[in-house]
Amino acid sequence: MTTKQRLLQICNERVDKRINDYKEEITLIKESIESNDKGSSEDDDSGSGKLLNDLEKNMAHLNDAKKTKDYLSNIKTNVESTEAMLGSIVKTNIMNFYISTSIGKIDLEDATYYAISVNSPIGQLLINKPVNTSFEFNQNKYLITEII
């Protein structure tokens, strides 16, 4: 398995975990709402209101995670490019980036990669840039040394 394939797999695993966590939380909230409805008087609605609010938030997070999963399915690990694009590993003089989705730090094969979104501030600086391009971000001067 190539480094790109492994990075994509890790991103998918982390998103799958998020999806499962949100589904579990939604199930627990629904069970709490049902037990509240059975055991509470009609006058006390504050507990159910908070639970419904939590349910909405978790359903929104679940939707976002599912969209991220769909987005990751657009990444092709066998595409090579001379410019940074979705699915590229971009090595710089300071750190390595994997342009995919905002997952954060991934340690793999004695190297550290930062999975970032195309829409993130640093993603916007990297996208469509070739090797030997320099840019500044957070008062650091980066030089793109390799694109895989």
Side-chain angles (χ1 to χ4, degrees), residues 17-90:
K17 184 181 179 331
R18 279 188 202 163
I19 288 171
N20 288 332
D21 289 350
Y22 291 130
K23 284 181 177 178
E24 286 176 20
E25 187 67 21
I26 287 167
T27 300
L28 289 172
I29 293 169
K30 284 181 178 178
E31 288 171 1
S32 293
I33 289 171
E34 286 174 21
S35 67
N36 258 8
D37 286 346
K38 291 177 187 167
S40 68
S41 70
E42 292 181 25
D43 295 336
D44 181 27
D45 200 29
S46 61
S48 291
K50 180 172 178 354
L51 288 170
L52 287 170
N53 192 22
D54 290 347
L55 181 63
E56 280 182 25
K57 284 180 186 174
N58 277 282
M59 289 179 86
H61 291 312
L62 176 60
N63 258 352
D64 289 343
K66 286 180 176 179
K67 286 178 188 170
T68 299
K69 181 77 175 168
D70 289 342
Y71 183 73
L72 287 173
S73 71
N74 294 320
I75 295 176
K76 307 296 178 231
T77 56
N78 58 348
V79 175
E80 292 186 23
S81 175
T82 56
E83 295 179 344
M85 58 183 271
L86 181 65
S88 293
I89 295 171
V90 181

Side-chain angles (χ1 to χ4, degrees), residues 100-116:
S100 53
T101 188
S102 297
I103 296 288
K105 184 178 177 182
I106 299 173
D107 291 314
L108 179 66
E109 301 165 2
D110 299 326
T112 299
Y113 301 88
Y114 290 88
I116 61 166

Side-chain angles (χ1 to χ4, degrees), residues 3-12 72 75-77 85-91 95-104 106 112-118 120 123 126 148:
T3 302
K4 270 188 180 181
Q5 290 169 328
R6 188 70 188 111
L7 287 168
L8 180 58
Q9 180 184 28
I10 291 168
C11 287
N12 273 303
L72 287 173
I75 295 176
K76 307 296 178 231
T77 56
M85 58 183 271
L86 181 65
S88 293
I89 295 171
V90 181
K91 295 186 176 187
M95 61 181 62
N96 304 319
F97 299 97
Y98 177 55
I99 303 176
S100 53
T101 188
S102 297
I103 296 288
I106 299 173
T112 299
Y113 301 88
Y114 290 88
I116 61 166
S117 165
V118 170
S120 68
L126 288 173
I148 301 171

